[in-house]
Amino acid sequence: MCTNIVYEWLKALQLPQYAESFVDNGYDDLEVCKQIGDPDLDAIGVLAPAHRRRILEAVRRLREQDAAAAG
Amino acid sequence: LAEHGSLGSGAYRSVGEWLEAIKMGRYTEIFMENGYSSMDAVAQVTLEDLRRLGVTLVGHQKKILNSLQEVKGQLANGMVAL
Protein backbone atom coordinates (compact mmCIF):
# COMPACT_ATOMS: atom_id res chain seq x y z
CA MET A 1 0.00 0.00 0.00
CA CYS A 2 2.85 2.35 0.75
CA THR A 3 4.53 1.85 -2.60
CA ASN A 4 1.93 3.74 -4.57
CA ILE A 5 2.50 6.86 -6.63
CA VAL A 6 1.10 9.20 -3.99
CA TYR A 7 3.56 7.82 -1.45
CA GLU A 8 6.40 8.45 -3.91
CA TRP A 9 5.12 11.98 -4.55
CA LEU A 10 4.85 12.76 -0.82
CA LYS A 11 8.26 11.24 -0.19
CA ALA A 12 9.71 13.59 -2.80
CA LEU A 13 8.09 16.46 -0.87
CA GLN A 14 9.57 15.04 2.34
CA LEU A 15 6.09 14.53 3.75
CA PRO A 16 5.66 10.73 3.59
CA GLN A 17 3.93 10.67 6.98
CA TYR A 18 0.68 11.73 5.30
CA ALA A 19 0.62 8.97 2.66
CA GLU A 20 -1.66 6.62 4.57
CA SER A 21 -4.17 9.36 5.29
CA PHE A 22 -4.13 10.52 1.64
CA VAL A 23 -4.92 6.98 0.46
CA ASP A 24 -7.54 6.42 3.18
CA ASN A 25 -9.33 9.55 1.98
CA GLY A 26 -9.32 8.43 -1.65
CA TYR A 27 -6.37 10.54 -2.81
CA ASP A 28 -4.58 7.51 -4.20
CA ASP A 29 -3.35 8.73 -7.57
CA LEU A 30 -1.97 12.00 -8.95
CA GLU A 31 -5.09 12.76 -11.01
CA VAL A 32 -7.15 13.10 -7.87
CA CYS A 33 -4.28 14.84 -6.04
CA LYS A 34 -4.33 17.56 -8.70
CA GLN A 35 -7.69 18.66 -7.36
CA ILE A 36 -6.55 19.11 -3.79
CA GLY A 37 -7.34 22.37 -2.05
CA ASP A 38 -7.76 23.49 1.54
CA PRO A 39 -10.91 21.42 2.31
CA ASP A 40 -9.14 18.27 1.13
CA LEU A 41 -6.16 18.97 3.38
CA ASP A 42 -8.56 19.55 6.28
CA ALA A 43 -10.11 16.11 5.73
CA ILE A 44 -6.74 14.41 5.32
CA GLY A 45 -5.49 16.07 8.48
CA VAL A 46 -2.58 18.12 7.17
CA LEU A 47 -2.66 20.91 9.72
CA ALA A 48 0.83 22.39 9.80
CA PRO A 49 0.78 25.57 7.67
CA ALA A 50 4.22 24.87 6.21
CA HIS A 51 3.16 21.38 5.14
CA ARG A 52 -0.08 22.66 3.62
CA ARG A 53 1.84 25.28 1.66
CA ARG A 54 4.34 22.70 0.42
CA ILE A 55 1.60 20.35 -0.75
CA LEU A 56 -0.47 23.09 -2.43
CA GLU A 57 2.63 24.29 -4.28
CA ALA A 58 3.27 20.75 -5.46
CA VAL A 59 -0.38 20.43 -6.57
CA ARG A 60 0.08 23.59 -8.63
CA ARG A 61 3.18 22.09 -10.23
CA LEU A 62 1.22 18.95 -11.13
CA ARG A 63 -1.42 21.10 -12.85
CA GLU A 64 1.23 23.13 -14.68
CA GLN A 65 2.85 19.95 -15.99
CA ASP A 66 -0.59 18.98 -17.24
CA ALA A 67 -1.15 22.32 -18.96
CA ALA A 68 2.30 22.17 -20.55
CA ALA A 69 1.67 18.66 -21.84
CA ALA A 70 -1.70 19.70 -23.26
CA GLY A 71 -0.35 22.83 -24.90
CA LEU B 1 -23.90 -16.95 3.49
CA ALA B 2 -21.58 -14.32 2.14
CA GLU B 3 -18.26 -15.35 3.56
CA HIS B 4 -15.78 -14.27 0.95
CA GLY B 5 -14.22 -10.88 1.57
CA SER B 6 -10.81 -11.75 0.17
CA LEU B 7 -10.66 -8.15 -1.07
CA GLY B 8 -11.64 -6.88 2.33
CA SER B 9 -14.97 -5.87 0.86
CA GLY B 10 -17.20 -8.58 2.23
CA ALA B 11 -20.94 -8.19 2.29
CA TYR B 12 -22.25 -5.24 4.21
CA ARG B 13 -25.31 -5.57 6.36
CA SER B 14 -25.98 -1.86 6.57
CA VAL B 15 -25.02 1.43 4.96
CA GLY B 16 -23.29 2.44 8.18
CA GLU B 17 -21.22 -0.73 8.24
CA TRP B 18 -20.22 -0.23 4.61
CA LEU B 19 -19.23 3.43 5.11
CA GLU B 20 -17.28 2.60 8.28
CA ALA B 21 -15.44 -0.15 6.41
CA ILE B 22 -14.20 2.32 3.80
CA LYS B 23 -13.50 4.95 6.46
CA MET B 24 -16.28 7.21 5.23
CA GLY B 25 -18.39 6.78 8.35
CA ARG B 26 -18.81 10.53 8.67
CA TYR B 27 -21.42 10.38 5.86
CA THR B 28 -23.62 7.69 7.42
CA GLU B 29 -26.15 10.12 8.88
CA ILE B 30 -26.40 12.11 5.63
CA PHE B 31 -27.03 8.93 3.63
CA MET B 32 -29.69 7.70 6.05
CA GLU B 33 -31.45 11.07 6.21
CA ASN B 34 -31.63 11.31 2.43
CA GLY B 35 -33.20 7.92 1.84
CA TYR B 36 -30.07 5.91 1.04
CA SER B 37 -30.71 3.65 3.99
CA SER B 38 -30.17 0.22 2.46
CA MET B 39 -27.38 -1.23 0.34
CA ASP B 40 -29.68 -1.67 -2.66
CA ALA B 41 -30.66 2.02 -2.49
CA VAL B 42 -27.00 3.00 -2.18
CA ALA B 43 -26.09 0.91 -5.22
CA GLN B 44 -27.96 3.44 -7.39
CA VAL B 45 -25.95 6.43 -6.17
CA THR B 46 -24.24 8.54 -8.83
CA LEU B 47 -21.59 11.25 -8.66
CA GLU B 48 -24.36 13.84 -8.94
CA ASP B 49 -26.14 12.29 -5.96
CA LEU B 50 -22.95 12.45 -3.91
CA ARG B 51 -22.49 16.13 -4.73
CA ARG B 52 -26.10 16.81 -3.76
CA LEU B 53 -25.56 14.99 -0.47
CA GLY B 54 -22.63 17.27 0.23
CA VAL B 55 -19.82 14.83 -0.50
CA THR B 56 -17.72 17.49 -2.19
CA LEU B 57 -14.21 16.16 -1.63
CA VAL B 58 -13.05 14.45 -4.83
CA GLY B 59 -11.08 11.84 -2.90
CA HIS B 60 -14.15 10.84 -0.94
CA GLN B 61 -16.29 10.79 -4.11
CA LYS B 62 -13.72 8.52 -5.73
CA LYS B 63 -13.52 6.23 -2.74
CA ILE B 64 -17.28 5.83 -2.40
CA LEU B 65 -17.90 5.30 -6.13
CA ASN B 66 -15.04 2.79 -6.42
CA SER B 67 -16.41 0.85 -3.49
CA LEU B 68 -19.92 0.95 -5.00
CA GLN B 69 -18.59 -0.73 -8.14
CA GLU B 70 -17.55 -3.66 -5.95
CA VAL B 71 -20.81 -3.66 -4.02
CA LYS B 72 -22.77 -3.66 -7.29
CA GLY B 73 -20.77 -6.61 -8.52
CA GLN B 74 -21.70 -8.48 -5.37
CA LEU B 75 -25.36 -7.53 -5.72
CA ALA B 76 -25.31 -8.80 -9.30
CA ASN B 77 -23.78 -12.06 -8.13
CA GLY B 78 -26.39 -12.47 -5.44
CA MET B 79 -23.78 -12.31 -2.71
CA VAL B 80 -25.55 -9.62 -0.74
CA ALA B 81 -28.91 -10.13 0.86
CA LEU B 82 -31.14 -7.19 -0.02
Side-chain angles (χ1 to χ4, degrees):
Chain A
M1 174 172 133
C2 278
T3 55
N4 96 356
I5 183 80
V6 171
Y7 174 72
E8 295 300 327
W9 179 62
L10 288 167
K11 204 167 81 171
L13 300 174
Q14 296 178 315
L15 297 169
Q17 67 269 36
Y18 297 112
E20 189 175 346
S21 188
F22 268 70
V23 171
D24 278 350
N25 281 282
Y27 299 89
D28 56 0
D29 66 38
L30 294 183
E31 275 312 305
V32 66
C33 285
K34 267 178 208 159
Q35 302 180 60
I36 284 175
D38 283 307
D40 308 280
L41 294 181
D42 290 339
I44 294 166
V46 181
L47 303 178
H51 293 175
R52 293 173 74 101
R53 211 158 41 233
R54 210 187 299 167
I55 291 170
L56 291 174
E57 275 169 21
V59 167
R60 199 172 56 236
R61 284 198 299 275
L62 287 178
R63 290 186 191 145
E64 282 169 4
Q65 284 165 15
D66 232 30
Chain B
L1 289 175
E3 281 293 332
H4 56 115
S6 55
L7 298 170
S9 54
Y12 304 108
R13 281 167 301 173
S14 70
V15 175
E17 184 181 302
W18 164 61
L19 287 170
E20 289 293 339
I22 62 169
K23 301 187 185 179
M24 294 287 123
R26 76 186 73 183
Y27 298 114
T28 300
E29 210 169 305
I30 293 174
F31 271 72
M32 302 305 278
E33 282 173 358
N34 286 276
Y36 298 101
S37 53
S38 66
M39 288 312 291
D40 58 330
V42 160
Q44 314 301 320
V45 164
T46 64
L47 177 58
E48 279 310 306
D49 295 326
L50 289 182
R51 287 187 178 134
R52 205 171 51 237
L53 291 173
V55 182
T56 56
L57 299 177
V58 287
H60 291 185
Q61 292 168 354
K62 183 181 177 192
K63 200 151 187 215
I64 291 171
L65 291 176
N66 281 351
S67 176
L68 275 182
Q69 287 304 317
E70 257 181 66
V71 168
K72 274 190 265 194
Q74 292 169 359
L75 286 171
N77 290 327
M79 290 175 175
V80 176
L82 292 182

